[in-house]
Every structure is written in C-alpha cells, then in structure tokens.
Amino acid sequence: MVLRTIIADDHPVVLMGARAALEAAGDIEVVGEAANGDQLVDLLASRPCDVVVTDFSMPGGRHGDGLSLIDLIRRRYPRLPVVVLTMVNNPAVLQTMRSRGALGLCDKRAPLKEVAVAVRYAASGRAYMSDTIRRQFDAGGVQSTVDAVRLSAREIEVVRLYVGGMSISQIAERLSRSVKTVSRQKRDAMRKLGIDHDSRLSEYARERGIAS
C-alpha cells in the first residue's frame, strides 16, 4: 500500500529534500506540500492523506505553528498520524510534542531518509524518534531542564515564540489568548527561571534548546 503524505516546512531546501527522500522510499507518495501552517491546514481539508509531516517552527499565518498547530491537527483529524521535523533539542519540549499527539519526532540534523522510516512507523501506529532525540531523553530525561522548574506547556510555547521575535500582541493573536494572559505567562516563566531581563530569556531558551 502506498502511503499518501503531506509535508510542510518553511525552508524550500528542506521541503525539497524531504520530498526526494520520501519518494525514493518507493512506498510513499507526497500528495501535497505546504510552506506554513495556513497552507498545511488548507491542504489537509482538501486532500486525503495517511500521514502528515510538519516542521515545528514555521513563523507566520493565522494558524501558527508549534504546539498550537499540532493541537489543531489532532483536534480536526484525530486519526491522522503526525510526524514532526524539528531542531529543538530540549527533552521537556520534545516530550510535550509527544504528549500533544506527535507520533514521530525527526531531528532535522539527521539524514532525511529517517523521515520515510518515521512515516512508516506512524502509519502503523508506532512511535518513532531520531537517534539524536532518543539520546536527549536517555541522557537527561524530561526532568533535567524545563520541567525542573515546572514551566507549563503554555509557558514554554510563549517563551519559544517570544525569543523567536514575536511581540506579546502577536503571540496573543497567534495562540488565541488575551494580551494580559500571554504577558502573565511570560512573566511567570521568567520568574520560575530566575530571569529578570528579556536578553537573558533569549539566551536561556537557546542554550536549553527551547528555541529552534
């Protein structure tokens, strides 16, 4: 059986490489490509597929990216397996992706041929992780970084988007929350981390693998 797959990534080179790797597998057909969350959501509404492969960080668009996009896909298509491509290397963030419904986690730094393996696993209902991501879990576990200070999934997402260059207002619109709520979540995250300046927040997020 040929597995119909839709892939999404905002980097054309990655998109082209993923398509080539999947089509070279022989049993996978790429039936659609998207460059952001909006295009992906539109494709899913119009083209049946067996697995969706999506980048975790794709700035822009009303549907957003990251956890909110995974949530949207899982809510609208609960039976559709999701494979995530990511540069994130923080075990707590990766674990949050899994808990929100990502069946496959592929490290963008790993060979793209892994994506085909992840698609096959996901199509059969099995979880898949790149070796590099698995080592992140094995080395420190999900308690060693963000979870150690009990950042919530929503706080993690606010921090990720903020250090990625979005304003509080833009994050609020992206996540369908009030500006007051997003501001509080950012402030609470900084308090839990013992950080008192935005520049230190960006530095912390990149050092700990929260930002992609």
Side-chain angles (χ1 to χ4, degrees), residues 90-93 95-96 142-151 156:
N90 184 283
V93 181
Q95 177 61 28
T96 301
V142 297
Q143 298 299 321
S144 64
T145 50
V146 174
D147 280 358
V149 291
R150 298 188 180 88
L151 286 193
I156 291 172

Side-chain angles (χ1 to χ4, degrees), residues 56-117:
F56 186 69
S57 298
M58 296 186 292
R62 66 188 184 283
H63 290 299
D65 63 353
L67 298 177
S68 60
L69 182 59
I70 294 174
D71 286 345
L72 176 62
I73 295 171
R74 298 298 300 148
R75 186 169 62 251
R76 292 189 181 180
Y77 309 98
R79 296 180 181 275
L80 179 63
V82 177
V83 173
V84 174
L85 300 175
T86 184
M87 294 281 284
V88 171
N89 60 12
N90 184 283
V93 181
L94 293 166
Q95 177 61 28
T96 301
M97 293 181 203
R98 294 179 68 190
S99 67
R100 301 286 266 269
L103 200 53
L105 298 177
C106 287
D107 190 337
K108 279 192 171 185
R109 290 155 291 206
L112 281 173
K113 63 182 181 182
E114 284 195 0
V115 181
V117 179

Side-chain angles (χ1 to χ4, degrees), residues 159-202:
V159 170
R160 183 183 73 85
L161 294 173
Y162 187 81
V163 302
M166 295 182 69
S167 68
I168 295 296
S169 296
Q170 289 171 325
I171 295 171
E173 183 177 0
R174 168 70 61 83
L175 300 180
S176 299
R177 302 174 196 167
S178 69
V179 170
K180 181 178 179 181
T181 296
V182 170
S183 181
R184 174 178 54 77
Q185 289 168 338
K186 172 178 172 287
R187 185 172 61 251
D188 288 347
M190 293 178 70
R191 175 180 53 78
K192 291 177 182 180
L193 296 171
I195 291 174
D196 57 5
H197 196 277
D198 287 350
S199 62
R200 290 189 59 208
L201 180 63
S202 297

